[in-house]
Amino acid sequence: MRDTEMSSKRMGSRFSRLSIVIALSASALLSVVGPAHAAPAKDPLPADIPDYQAALDAVKSTDVRNAVCRFLSTPVPTGGAGGPVQTIPETAEPCQGLPVFTIKDPLARNEITPGFVQGTAKPLPTEAVKLTQLVSSLSTTVNGRNVTVMLAPTQGGGWHLAAIRDGDIDATYAGKATLGTLVFTEPQIRGWYQLKLTTVEPLNDEARQGLGGQASVSLSDYQKLVKARYADKLPGSEYDTNGYSSGYSSQRKADDASPSTLLLAGGSSAALALAGGAAVLRRRRRAGTC
């Protein structure tokens, strides 16, 4: 009986040592592979977004709410691309007469990075995609419309109102992120994708066309696709300097703009204007006002 107990103790000791070796080996493997491979890509939670409290304060502020109300009170331009820019009037109580609504908490809007497009960044989630803006939609439609409030990072920290646009596509797709996944956009084709580990899956028809009809591709293969589409159109390229486009950048919003977008120039509420069509956005960007 005593021999049996001693044998059991020796077996237990061996299993214990084996467990330690396995754990250490797994740890060493993760160290070699690196954190980008060891952990799945995921959309930043509010706690992970820099200065998220500032973003919450912004969307709940009176200034932003009033800007949304002025936007909703102004008719949608009918001129289409190249149409006139309609100034949004200043009123003492811009929300008067409008249904009650709230602006939802901001969500992360991620985009592919210029380095990923150019091929200088590795096909890793941490280098392929980055947070560029925060987006919020309304709790209900107002005057038959829904809008998206777009926040941009403020130099030195915090967030500020960058634009308000008709529709809630950005917030809708941003909200499709699940635990362990990341949602991002390829704004040039209005494509939205979900990144699972290093597999890219389309979320809308534009994205499916962007993947050539494939149900999914590896992040590495997706990089080849966008490099072929945009690498020769980056800022400073011949395509850009010849005036064919404003060049690709992570902040480019002209090609996925809704028919009406409220632009902010100089951060003053008096400078709010409703632009009819993406062409106006492009002209303003070239002039350095947006």
Side-chain angles (χ1 to χ4, degrees):
M1 184 71 178
R2 184 175 299 173
D3 291 341
T4 302
E5 291 176 356
M6 292 181 64
S7 177
S8 297
K9 289 180 179 179
R10 283 197 295 271
M11 288 288 289
S13 178
R14 286 174 187 156
F15 278 121
S16 178
R17 288 197 297 272
L18 180 60
S19 298
I20 293 173
V21 170
I22 291 174
L24 290 175
S25 298
S27 177
L29 178 62
L30 293 181
S31 297
V32 172
V33 173
H37 293 285
K42 62 179 182 178
D43 259 299
L45 298 173
D48 301 323
I49 295 175
D51 298 318
Y52 188 71
Q53 185 58 51
L56 284 174
D57 292 342
V59 297
K60 296 181 186 302
S61 69
T62 301
D63 286 346
V64 168
R65 185 177 182 81
N66 286 345
V68 171
C69 289
R70 288 194 294 274
F71 182 89
L72 291 168
S73 299
T74 304
V76 177
T78 58
V85 176
Q86 186 171 357
T87 302
I88 299 209
E90 287 280 6
T91 58
E93 298 183 20
C95 296
Q96 186 174 8
L98 293 178
V100 176
F101 67 89
T102 58
I103 303 175
K104 296 179 182 178
D105 291 352
L107 300 171
R109 186 183 192 276
N110 305 297
E111 293 186 15
I112 50 177
T113 66
F116 178 73
V117 172
Q118 196 170 32
T120 56
K122 296 178 181 179
L124 301 174
T126 52
E127 297 190 35
V129 178
K130 72 174 183 178
L131 172 67
T132 57
Q133 289 187 323
L134 299 180
V135 291
S136 302
S137 59
L138 304 187
S139 59
T140 184
T141 58
V142 179
N143 290 349
R145 299 161 66 183
N146 205 339
V147 303
T148 296
V149 176
M150 310 189 77
L151 303 180
T154 301
Q155 187 173 4
W159 298 85
H160 64 273
L161 178 62
I164 301 170
R165 64 170 56 165
D166 262 305
D168 58 356
I169 291 177
D170 293 86
T172 297
Y173 282 111
K176 290 184 179 294
T178 60
L179 183 64
T181 70
L182 184 149
V183 170
F184 67 92
T185 182
E186 181 186 335
Q188 295 72 23
I189 63 170
R190 304 179 186 177
W192 286 89
Y193 306 84
Q194 190 167 44
L195 181 59
K196 299 178 179 179
L197 292 176
T198 56
T199 299
V200 178
E201 299 180 358
L203 291 177
N204 63 356
D205 288 340
E206 291 82 356
R208 278 183 280 276
Q209 293 173 9
L211 298 185
Q214 299 179 82
S216 65
V217 300
S218 68
L219 188 58
S220 178
D221 285 342
Y222 176 66
Q223 183 176 34
K224 295 174 184 176
L225 291 173
V226 294
K227 182 178 180 180
R229 283 199 279 268
Y230 313 120
D232 61 344
K233 299 175 180 64
L234 293 167
S237 66
E238 183 178 355
Y239 186 88
D240 178 28
T241 55
N242 285 341
Y244 292 111
S245 78
S246 58
Y248 169 86
S249 76
S250 62
Q251 296 298 324
R252 185 180 180 189
K253 297 294 180 291
D255 292 336
D256 70 334
S258 63
S260 61
T261 300
L262 182 146
L263 306 175
L264 278 77
S268 169
S269 60
L272 298 177
L274 193 63
V280 176
L281 285 173
R282 282 193 285 270
R283 290 199 300 270
R284 287 197 165 201
R285 183 172 289 105
R286 287 182 180 278
T289 60
C290 180

